Amino acid sequence: MAAKPTPDKILQIGFGFWASKTLLTAIELGLFTELAKKPLDAAGVQERFGFHPRGSADFLDSLVALRLLARKGTRYANTPETALFLDRAKPSYVGGILEMCSRRLYGFWNALPEALRTGKPQNEAKAGGNPFDAIYKDEAGLRGFLSAMTGLSVGSGAAIAKKFPWKKYRTFVDVGAAQGAVPVQLALAHRHLQGAGYDLPPVEPIFLDYVRSFKLEERVRFHPGDFFKDPLPGADVIVMGHILHDWDLDEKRMLIDKVYRALPKGGAFIAYDAVIDDERRKNAFGLLMSLNMLIETPGGFDYSGADCKGWFKSAGFRQSRVVPLLGPDSMVIGIK
Amino acid sequence: MAAKPTPDKILQIGFGFWASKTLLTAIELGLFTELAKKPLDAAGVQERFGFHPRGSADFLDSLVALRLLARKGTRYANTPETALFLDRAKPSYVGGILEMCSRRLYGFWNALPEALRTGKPQNEAKAGGNPFDAIYKDEAGLRGFLSAMTGLSVGSGAAIAKKFPWKKYRTFVDVGAAQGAVPVQLALAHRHLQGAGYDLPPVEPIFLDYVRSFKLEERVRFHPGDFFKDPLPGADVIVMGHILHDWDLDEKRMLIDKVYRALPKGGAFIAYDAVIDDERRKNAFGLLMSLNMLIETPGGFDYSGADCKGWFKSAGFRQSRVVPLLGPDSMVIGIK
């Protein structure tokens, strides 16, 4: 006997923007960073953040009910998760991507109906042009974006460090390295590896700051370059994370060809993204990420493992496989 | 040993607005209503809704991965839940509230940081005034709002029909009845009951249409009135659902007093809302609903069972109790 249908799941997903925007607001305002210094009662939070008394307790208690804050007596404190991942003072901070969600994407997604009708991005680049121009135009914006990418990549970087046979290889380059989350995870886990991050020249000081904060500057270098104009530096392994999905099919194929040319025989390409299951039935995050590429880019889209293995084969890779990483991310490994 | 903290839950809630806005968009555009007539493939959906090819499959497959659509071969169809609750042609439609979320609340919630700082609403009434004026100003807006309220109330109405000892009573009035979701549920479940909905005069034709669609016009009447200006009609039981939370404390107490005066000795007051647990630790939806009252109203807030029982006692009710209904809603019953 089938259970009687209820509207619970529909209402839960439909109202999901309430919890989402509440958490995003707390991250954007730095609530978890402040509570990591010292737990505060509602009056203390009001004073520190300039809140009006009306909504403060509801805001804080909502976060308690969502298990994102703990309340002991009248004081609010972080949970183990929010203390570790949402305190800006810790290298484990993953909030950058969520700050970007709060400041940019939440609002842009309100234009999803228009995006579906026009097929065009709904962000700063709505007037046309490359959306990365807006992000790269000043250092504050760029630091924000790169830190956001770290939040999205650090867990996958740690999983790539574990799930790939690094003992067989000595060098790697992370193409589109941003702050260097993945190079740092690989170098921390494998002392024999020498690596580099490759990204646009303005990224260099931000990358080096991050790498130095882990004291890895001897083994993790920076290569400036533009992967649309320049050849890629050679290495035993080339990693490309959350990059292929930004671009249209021709651009994806061009990038894969460029990686192939830069690798030695036997070298490996690790492309990772929120790879969609081949049946396109399970990885909701990957499919929604692809809609996010619709909102953010002129031609980007996420892809299944089968899609990517097909492109790898066309480029000349002699074998490839898909390996799940953390959460929605998988890596597609191609061997030259 | 405690499990090692992971950022999964933080990312899931933080990115929750993606799934939420995807579902809300599908409801707003009438996708489930259309697919209830006939399953369509991606090309059929594109043609029917004027979608660009770029995002269509990602949009539809995201809904499949969220288990809000089924896909057989290349065709998309409703699940049992979306067929029953998101087809506008069925009386079980609960999408009205979610259409309102898509068109109004999702965008207004982007101003949550400002709401927390100012304590002021962030909707159409941002310039001041009563937010209901905007809703009641034309019949299309009013029909939309009232249908939205039905989506939020129909499940609770059915639960109130089951969980209250109706055999002891003969008449009821639902104050702030909107379309009449609760009067209809009560009359359907209990043939001996005679009831009425009480609401502002413009609601009357919309209420009567809804009641007639269930052939209940003999037992469910309409009383026009303004609960701020007029006395309430008498009945054995007075119901007030999703009303008290709209108003500030003085207004809440005034309404409770008015109900007390309208009841006979032994009569019952049923107030239901997303009543917050007394510890304010569990009912995240109720707490977030209270933040929604911050976004939507000048002084409204949701409340705990203990809060409400205190107000009932002050008004003169001799006993009261809290009874959970469906999902986040509970009723607080006061006996005169």
Side-chain angles (χ1 to χ4, degrees):
Chain A
M1 274 193 353
K4 200 181 161 191
T6 75
D8 291 0
K9 201 179 67 178
I10 291 167
L11 295 171
Q12 199 182 345
I13 297 175
F15 282 104
F17 70 96
W18 284 359
S20 183
K21 187 66 192 182
T22 299
L23 170 58
L24 297 179
T25 298
I27 295 169
E28 180 185 341
L29 299 178
L31 178 66
F32 302 103
T33 303
E34 214 49 38
L35 295 179
K37 296 179 199 160
K38 196 176 80 168
L40 293 169
D41 61 14
V45 170
Q46 274 172 49
E47 194 188 323
R48 173 63 191 78
F49 291 94
F51 287 167
H52 187 278
R54 185 177 169 202
S56 302
D58 289 340
F59 179 61
L60 293 165
D61 290 334
S62 291
L63 293 165
V64 170
L66 294 167
R67 301 190 189 187
L68 297 164
L69 286 181
R71 195 183 63 213
K72 285 176 196 167
T74 61
R75 291 204 170 184
Y76 297 88
N78 286 322
T79 65
E81 286 80 14
T82 57
L84 186 59
F85 297 114
L86 295 179
D87 174 6
R88 287 187 189 128
K90 297 202 182 81
S92 49
Y93 184 61
V94 302
I97 184 71
L98 298 170
E99 290 180 48
M100 191 169 98
C101 283
S102 194
R103 292 211 178 88
R104 299 180 60 251
L105 295 177
Y106 180 93
F108 297 147
W109 267 71
N110 206 18
L112 179 61
E114 186 179 340
L116 290 171
R117 282 190 289 265
T118 62
K120 299 230 165 85
Q122 302 298 320
N123 61 4
E124 300 89 348
K126 200 160 174 175
N130 183 323
F132 290 106
D133 294 346
I135 290 164
Y136 277 76
K137 76 169 188 277
D138 62 69
E139 185 171 330
L142 182 57
R143 279 196 184 261
F145 176 73
L146 298 180
S147 156
M149 294 302 105
T150 293
L152 207 56
S153 300
V154 68
S156 289
I160 294 169
K162 268 192 206 150
K163 298 188 170 189
F164 181 79
W166 288 103
K167 282 185 188 162
K168 297 192 203 167
Y169 303 91
R170 290 181 314 120
T171 62
F172 70 87
V173 177
D174 183 17
V175 173
Q179 229 178 353
V182 171
V184 161
Q185 290 302 317
L186 299 181
L188 286 173
H190 301 284
R191 306 190 128 245
H192 74 285
L193 288 177
Q194 287 279 340
Y198 177 93
D199 212 311
L200 293 168
V203 174
E204 180 157 8
I206 303 166
F207 180 95
L208 292 178
D209 281 354
Y210 184 79
V211 169
R212 279 193 205 108
S213 75
F214 292 90
K215 302 193 197 314
L216 288 168
E217 61 271 26
E218 293 301 315
R219 289 197 289 128
V220 179
R221 307 298 171 96
F222 187 80
H223 276 275
D226 178 337
F227 55 50
F228 281 110
K229 296 181 189 152
D230 307 318
L232 298 176
D236 297 342
V237 181
I238 293 180
V239 181
M240 207 179 247
H242 304 144
I243 298 293
L244 285 180
H245 79 152
D246 288 334
W247 308 102
D248 71 23
L249 183 56
D250 288 345
E251 293 162 332
K252 282 178 168 69
R253 288 187 180 276
M254 184 280 294
L255 289 169
I256 295 167
D257 288 343
K258 219 171 234 196
V259 169
Y260 185 82
R261 287 199 297 279
L263 286 172
K265 189 156 189 279
F269 181 19
I270 300 175
Y272 75 90
D273 260 309
V275 175
I276 299 165
D277 56 296
D278 292 348
E279 290 289 309
R280 295 172 60 89
R281 288 183 181 281
K282 287 182 190 158
N283 190 347
F285 186 86
L287 288 156
L288 292 166
M289 179 62 92
S290 197
L291 282 180
N292 192 53
M293 293 300 109
L294 168 66
I295 298 286
E296 285 272 77
T297 72
F301 62 93
D302 286 75
Y303 48 85
S304 70
D307 294 333
C308 191
K309 292 200 290 184
W311 304 328
F312 278 18
K313 191 169 183 183
S314 303
F317 287 93
R318 64 184 164 84
Q319 47 170 274
S320 63
R321 64 186 193 276
V322 180
V323 180
L325 296 170
L326 191 75
D329 271 358
S330 295
M331 58 180 166
V332 187
I333 301 171
I335 305 294
K336 180 166 173 175
Chain B
M1 275 194 351
K4 199 180 161 190
T6 74
D8 292 359
K9 200 180 67 178
I10 291 167
L11 294 171
Q12 199 183 343
I13 297 174
F15 282 105
F17 70 96
W18 284 0
S20 183
K21 187 66 193 182
T22 299
L23 170 58
L24 296 180
T25 298
I27 295 169
E28 180 185 340
L29 299 178
L31 177 66
F32 302 103
T33 302
E34 214 49 38
L35 295 179
K37 296 179 199 159
K38 195 176 80 166
L40 293 169
D41 62 13
V45 171
Q46 274 171 49
E47 194 189 324
R48 174 64 191 81
F49 292 95
F51 287 167
H52 187 277
R54 185 178 169 202
S56 302
D58 288 341
F59 178 61
L60 294 165
D61 290 335
S62 291
L63 293 166
V64 171
L66 294 167
R67 303 191 186 185
L68 297 165
L69 285 182
R71 196 184 62 216
K72 283 176 197 169
T74 61
R75 292 204 170 184
Y76 297 88
N78 286 323
T79 64
E81 286 80 15
T82 57
L84 187 58
F85 297 114
L86 295 179
D87 174 6
R88 286 186 191 131
K90 296 201 182 82
S92 48
Y93 184 62
V94 302
I97 184 71
L98 297 170
E99 291 180 48
M100 191 169 97
C101 284
S102 194
R103 293 211 177 89
R104 299 179 61 252
L105 294 177
Y106 180 94
F108 297 146
W109 267 72
N110 206 17
L112 179 60
E114 186 180 340
L116 291 171
R117 280 190 292 266
T118 63
K120 298 230 164 86
Q122 303 298 320
N123 60 4
E124 300 91 347
K126 202 160 172 174
N130 183 323
F132 291 106
D133 293 346
I135 291 164
Y136 278 75
K137 78 170 186 279
D138 62 72
E139 185 171 330
L142 182 56
R143 279 197 185 262
F145 175 75
L146 298 181
S147 155
M149 293 304 103
T150 293
L152 207 57
S153 301
V154 67
S156 290
I160 294 169
K162 269 191 203 149
K163 297 187 172 189
F164 181 79
W166 289 104
K167 282 186 188 160
K168 297 191 205 168
Y169 302 91
R170 291 180 313 120
T171 61
F172 70 86
V173 177
D174 184 16
V175 173
Q179 232 178 349
V182 171
V184 161
Q185 291 301 319
L186 299 181
L188 286 173
H190 301 284
R191 305 190 129 246
H192 73 285
L193 288 177
Q194 288 279 341
Y198 177 92
D199 213 311
L200 292 168
V203 174
E204 180 157 7
I206 303 166
F207 180 96
L208 292 178
D209 281 354
Y210 184 79
V211 169
R212 279 192 205 107
S213 76
F214 293 90
K215 303 194 196 314
L216 288 168
E217 61 271 25
E218 293 301 314
R219 288 196 290 127
V220 179
R221 308 298 172 96
F222 186 80
H223 275 274
D226 177 337
F227 55 50
F228 282 109
K229 295 181 191 153
D230 306 319
L232 298 176
D236 297 343
V237 181
I238 293 180
V239 181
M240 206 178 250
H242 303 143
I243 299 291
L244 284 180
H245 78 152
D246 287 334
W247 308 101
D248 71 24
L249 183 55
D250 288 345
E251 292 161 334
K252 282 177 168 69
R253 287 187 179 277
M254 183 279 294
L255 289 169
I256 295 167
D257 287 343
K258 219 171 232 195
V259 169
Y260 185 81
R261 285 197 299 276
L263 287 172
K265 190 155 189 278
F269 180 18
I270 300 176
Y272 74 91
D273 260 310
V275 175
I276 298 165
D277 55 295
D278 291 348
E279 290 289 308
R280 295 172 59 90
R281 290 183 181 280
K282 287 183 189 156
N283 189 348
F285 187 86
L287 288 156
L288 291 166
M289 179 63 93
S290 197
L291 282 179
N292 192 54
M293 292 301 108
L294 168 66
I295 298 286
E296 285 272 77
T297 72
F301 62 92
D302 287 76
Y303 50 85
S304 70
D307 293 334
C308 190
K309 291 200 290 185
W311 305 327
F312 278 18
K313 191 169 182 184
S314 302
F317 287 94
R318 63 186 164 84
Q319 48 170 274
S320 62
R321 64 187 194 274
V322 180
V323 179
L325 296 171
L326 191 75
D329 271 358
S330 296
M331 60 180 164
V332 187
I333 301 171
I335 306 294
K336 178 163 174 178

